[in-house]
């Protein structure tokens, strides 16, 4: 099974996670810029974080045989903090970089006026940089938030095929499907969507425009939920080719629209591990202690 996890926050994860992900078949991923749990008080905290996403974290992933891409944005939650407003001005510099495959996560958290303003501005940036957009849907008020999200996407002029609306469930999937956008599903260990509910949605509406992610971050989450969904699909009678389509070819097709993928789309299942753990990024390696 070759897996491309289209939404996972590796900055919050350990080297054990990287090893387990590789062993389960993960060969590529997208790490969206998001909220760190602790409010940031200045634009410099964001630029250091963005630099780490396109620099150190990409290097770290490469040491475990995984191609790391990212998306860059002012996340919906911090769009409400006036101290972070300037982040919108530094985004163009990052949206031009290699391996930045979308604008995101953008969208709504609490459906405020400030969130909507930042969302609209960042959809404009996606149009300007010809990049896909990754849109977060609120965990409360999901249905109404998704409806407003789709209205703003339509008004932005961004083609629906360039937009993934993420964190969907049985209640929100149909309106996103009808709008022609990609449908993202985050598979969580004990709340919201799990792999069996995911399989039921795939049985009902097919495999087109579906992305399945672990959305693993600093909260209770599981970076192996992509491979567990693949296993649940096989158990339910889907073919290995169906699994490959959902877990590999779909994310390649969606993020490939950026023209900036860093992974070989035809990569074989077994990949090529051969990463050198003593390699360095700006003088730092992932090794600790003396290696003599
Ligand atoms: Zn996320």
């Amino acid at each position: 099974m070759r897996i491309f996890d289209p939404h996972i926050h590796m900055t919050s994860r350990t080297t054990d996670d990287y090893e387990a992900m590789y062993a389960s078949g993960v060969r590529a991923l997208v790490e969206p810029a998001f909220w760190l749990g602790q409010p940031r008080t200045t634009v410099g905290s964001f630029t250091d974080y963005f630099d780490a996403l396109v620099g150190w974290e990409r290097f770290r992933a490469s040491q475990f045989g995984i191609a790391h891409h990212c998306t860059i944005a002012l996340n919906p939650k911090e769009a409400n903090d006036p101290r972070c407003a300037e982040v919108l001005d530094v985004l163009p510099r990052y949206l031009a970089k290699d391996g930045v495959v979308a604008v995101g996560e953008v969208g709504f958290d609490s459906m405020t006026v400030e969130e909507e303003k930042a969302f609209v501005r960042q959809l404009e940036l996606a149009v300007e940089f010809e990049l896909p957009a990754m849109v977060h849907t609120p965990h409360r008020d999901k249905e109404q938030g998704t409806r407003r999200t789709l209205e703003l996407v339509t008004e932005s002029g961004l083609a629906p095929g360039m937009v993934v609306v993420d964190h969907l469930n049985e209640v929100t999937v149909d309106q996103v499907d009808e709008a022609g956008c990609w449908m993202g599903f985050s598979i969580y260990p004990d709340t919201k969507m799990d792999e069996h509910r995911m399989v039921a949605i795939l049985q009902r509406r097919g495999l087109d425009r579906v992305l399945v992610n672990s959305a693993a971050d600093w909260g209770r989450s599981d970076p192996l939920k992509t491979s567990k969904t693949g296993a649940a699909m096989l158990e339910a009678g889907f073919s290995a080719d169906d699994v490959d389509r959902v877990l590999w070819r779909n994310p390649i097709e969606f993020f490939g629209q950026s023209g900036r993928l860093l992974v070989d789309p035809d990569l074989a299942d077994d990949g090529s591990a051969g990463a050198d753990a003593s390699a360095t990024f700006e003088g730092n390696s992932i090794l600790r202690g003396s290696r003599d």
Side-chain angles (χ1 to χ4, degrees):
M1 202 184 286
R2 50 181 186 172
I3 298 173
F4 187 135
D5 191 335
H7 185 149
I8 184 165
H9 301 285
M10 293 313 297
T11 303
S12 308
R13 311 300 306 194
T14 64
T15 53
D16 284 0
D17 289 333
Y18 268 125
E19 283 170 1
M21 287 163 65
Y22 185 89
S24 81
V26 177
R27 295 293 178 270
L29 58 83
V30 168
E31 174 157 8
F34 86 139
W35 148 250
L36 296 181
Q38 167 84 28
R40 282 169 281 202
T41 58
T42 141
V43 66
S45 298
F46 283 85
T47 55
D48 289 342
Y49 171 64
F50 296 157
D51 286 336
L53 290 182
V54 297
W56 173 249
E57 201 57 45
R58 185 184 303 168
F59 167 77
R60 207 164 76 98
S62 73
Q63 298 307 290
F64 296 94
I66 297 176
H68 180 285
H69 311 81
C70 67
T71 75
I72 296 286
L74 172 61
N75 64 81
K77 194 171 179 91
E78 286 177 295
N80 292 303
D81 188 333
R83 295 173 297 186
C84 305
E86 266 178 81
V87 173
L88 292 174
D89 303 330
V90 305
L91 293 178
R93 181 163 118 211
Y94 289 94
L95 295 177
K97 286 186 192 288
D98 278 354
V100 176
V101 293
V103 176
E105 306 177 40
V106 293
F108 288 114
D109 181 58
S110 310
M111 306 277 301
T112 65
V113 175
E114 289 75 18
E115 287 169 19
E116 182 159 319
K117 255 198 250 170
F119 185 18
V120 168
R121 173 65 192 132
Q122 294 184 99
L123 288 173
E124 285 170 13
L125 287 171
V127 171
E128 189 182 317
F129 282 83
E130 298 178 359
L131 283 173
M134 180 190 286
V135 183
H136 167 97
T137 49
H139 297 300
R140 285 151 287 152
D141 253 344
K142 223 176 195 11
E143 207 175 348
Q144 197 203 336
T146 305
R147 185 161 304 119
R148 185 66 187 138
T149 291
L150 293 171
E151 284 170 9
L152 293 173
V153 165
T154 304
E155 287 168 21
S156 75
L158 193 58
M162 289 286 274
V163 177
V164 57
V165 183
D166 216 338
H167 313 310
L168 297 181
N169 60 23
E170 293 85 351
V171 177
T172 48
V173 56
D174 291 335
Q175 43 171 324
V176 177
D177 195 2
E178 279 157 28
C181 295
W182 284 70
M183 291 152 276
F185 296 90
S186 301
I187 314 302
Y188 295 101
D190 46 17
T191 53
K192 307 174 207 168
M193 185 58 60
D194 67 23
E195 53 267 48
H196 305 289
R197 284 167 64 184
M198 186 68 238
V199 165
I201 289 175
L202 291 169
Q203 284 168 331
R204 180 167 70 79
R205 68 149 307 282
L207 313 180
D208 272 0
R209 287 182 286 119
V210 170
L211 300 180
V212 172
N213 62 69
S214 70
D217 58 16
W218 38 255
R220 218 180 118 70
S221 47
D222 176 356
L224 304 184
K225 278 295 185 189
T226 46
S227 85
K228 289 174 186 172
T229 301
M233 284 178 70
L234 292 172
E235 229 171 85
F238 283 101
S239 69
D241 187 70
D242 292 335
V243 173
D244 188 67
R245 172 143 180 232
V246 171
L247 296 183
W248 183 262
R249 300 192 316 261
N250 278 359
I252 292 274
E253 182 183 341
F254 179 72
F255 290 108
Q257 299 182 98
S258 69
R260 298 199 192 146
L261 284 184
L262 303 174
V263 66
D264 174 6
D266 301 320
L267 188 76
D269 247 357
D270 55 359
S272 55
D276 173 8
S278 64
T280 59
F281 174 78
E282 293 180 358
N284 290 311
S285 83
I286 55 164
L287 301 178
R288 289 288 173 268
S290 165
R291 311 299 299 177
D292 300 333

